[in-house]
Amino acid sequence: MSDVRHTDSRSRPIPDAVGELRLHVRRPAPGTAVIEVAGELDLNTAPRLAEVVEPRIRSMVGVVIIDLGRTTFLAVSGLRTLHRLHTLAREHDVDFYLDPAESRLVRRVLELLPLGCERPGITESLDGTRLPAPRGIPT
């Protein structure tokens, strides 16, 4: 697996053990990790997402953004995993955001069952001008 402390902006594909979920990790700015989710987030694939995100939350990263724009299915088990990751991020004082992007399916699920960390469009703002600074880093 790639080094979690690396801070360049190149996309890093994370191998998919299940076949229905594809994950890419980007580091667009120091202290920021974006995990792009493509495919189905369900009982079989949610543990893989947690396996990729948890080490980043526990590392030196101050902002974790989950880009759900290419998510084609979001089961309750996937939503439960996102909630658990959000809780873990709060425990580690890491800013955690979910971006449903243009996925109507994800937007609808998060409207019905909000987690409190939704930030539509945050992934688009990764040019650094509107990206929130990690906690503890002066702006």
Side-chain angles (χ1 to χ4, degrees), residues 23 25 29 43 49 54 59 62 66 83 85-86 94 101 113 115 129 132:
L23 303 172
V25 177
L43 186 61
L49 177 65
E54 284 179 14
S59 73
I66 309 294
H83 180 265
L85 292 169
H86 181 220
V94 171
L113 301 165
L115 298 179
T129 58

Side-chain angles (χ1 to χ4, degrees), residues 31-92:
T32 302
V34 176
I35 296 87
E36 298 171 351
V37 179
E40 299 178 3
L41 191 50
D42 58 20
L43 186 61
N44 291 324
T45 60
R48 179 66 180 136
L49 177 65
E51 183 180 297
V52 169
V53 175
E54 284 179 14
R56 280 145 179 94
I57 290 173
R58 297 178 197 278
S59 73
M60 308 255 322
V61 170
V63 177
V64 172
I65 300 169
I66 309 294
D67 179 356
L68 299 169
R70 296 185 344 174
T71 303
T72 57
F73 181 74
L74 180 54
V76 171
S77 54
L79 196 61
R80 194 174 312 127
T81 297
L82 293 169
H83 180 265
R84 189 171 51 78
L85 292 169
H86 181 220
T87 301
L88 181 66
R90 280 193 313 232
E91 291 170 359
H92 284 81

